[in-house]
Amino acid sequence: MDKSEIIKILQSLDMQQRMARLQKPVDLIRQELITYAHFGYKVNLGLLEAWPQAPEVVFNDLVALGGQEFACQYLPFLCLLNGFDINGVRLYGFHDEGEDSQDIRRILDYLPFPEIYDGYVLMGSTDLDVLIFDKSNHHFEIRDRIGFDYIVGSYPQLDQFLQVLATSIKKSFEDENEDDRE
């Protein structure tokens, strides 16, 4: 499938507008990844550059995970940046590389009690928290890893959620650099 066909599919799902809203926080995250690549952080391409499967398959898999609202918000993120793992913050992508432990579809296979996430999509984690999509209220949430019922932050839009993560990543590197200077 060529890029024009992919863009046509995305336009039919209102993805261009959604991608535009995500561009700023994704750019902030990508910049941190690039800045610290010499520490081994990998800058994933977006799905627009390298689709592991046909776009409609990716969309349908995301719908199966979290419903249409989740798919319509998460797919544009994946188109721009297919997940990331930087300085203790990770958001899962969509990979077709066998048993990839960073694949949003397979992550529960690696956890001892996956039933905890019934009603949620586990999208990622930080050193202290889990990053989820709550299917009941359609919010992107940061929840305490141990006290799962404790909601650290809840956001109705993915761009708001990503902005919080981007700010956290940037601040953690600034704090580390400040500690190195002392």
Side-chain angles (χ1 to χ4, degrees):
M1 181 173 296
D2 70 16
K3 199 169 187 171
S4 65
E5 290 177 63
I6 293 167
I7 290 172
K8 194 181 302 182
I9 290 169
L10 294 175
Q11 286 172 334
S12 71
L13 298 171
D14 190 30
M15 294 296 158
Q16 294 295 337
Q17 184 178 15
R18 292 174 187 268
M19 286 170 58
R21 283 199 313 261
L22 295 173
Q23 194 66 58
K24 182 180 176 188
V26 166
D27 284 348
L28 291 171
I29 293 165
R30 183 177 282 117
Q31 184 56 49
E32 294 300 315
L33 287 163
I34 292 168
T35 300
Y36 294 97
H38 61 281
F39 289 119
Y41 294 118
K42 180 180 173 189
V43 183
N44 291 333
L45 297 174
L47 292 183
L48 281 181
E49 303 300 322
W51 286 92
Q53 296 180 8
E56 59 273 8
V57 171
V58 175
F59 182 75
N60 289 335
D61 282 357
L62 292 173
V63 168
L65 276 173
Q68 180 127 2
E69 180 63 26
F70 173 72
C72 285
Q73 290 204 50
Y74 208 68
L75 182 59
F77 162 71
L78 295 176
C79 286
L80 297 169
L81 182 62
N82 190 14
F84 63 87
D85 185 351
I86 183 169
N87 212 27
V89 179
R90 65 206 55 77
L91 210 54
Y92 306 126
F94 194 99
H95 306 282
D96 210 20
E97 301 168 3
E99 298 296 318
D100 192 317
S101 65
Q102 298 294 308
D103 188 301
I104 194 165
R105 297 166 299 168
R106 297 185 190 102
I107 194 62
L108 292 179
D109 296 343
Y110 297 93
L111 301 178
F113 304 105
E115 64 276 1
I116 292 170
Y117 298 100
D118 287 348
Y120 306 96
V121 177
L122 179 60
M123 301 172 5
S125 63
T126 70
D127 290 339
L128 302 173
D129 304 308
V130 291
L131 309 174
I132 62 157
F133 177 77
D134 185 331
K135 295 179 196 180
S136 67
N137 68 12
H138 298 156
H139 278 68
F140 297 88
E141 296 178 343
I142 302 169
R143 289 187 176 224
D144 187 81
R145 181 185 297 274
I146 306 300
F148 185 75
D149 290 338
Y150 178 71
I151 300 172
V152 176
S154 182
Y155 310 91
Q157 299 296 318
L158 184 58
D159 61 316
Q160 298 164 333
F161 178 79
L162 288 175
Q163 187 63 47
V164 169
L165 295 180
T167 301
S168 172
I169 292 165
K170 186 165 184 61
K171 183 172 177 4
S172 69
F173 278 121
E174 288 170 355
D175 290 350
E176 283 181 12
N177 289 337
E178 205 171 283
D179 289 344
D180 289 345
R181 283 184 241 144
E182 293 176 0

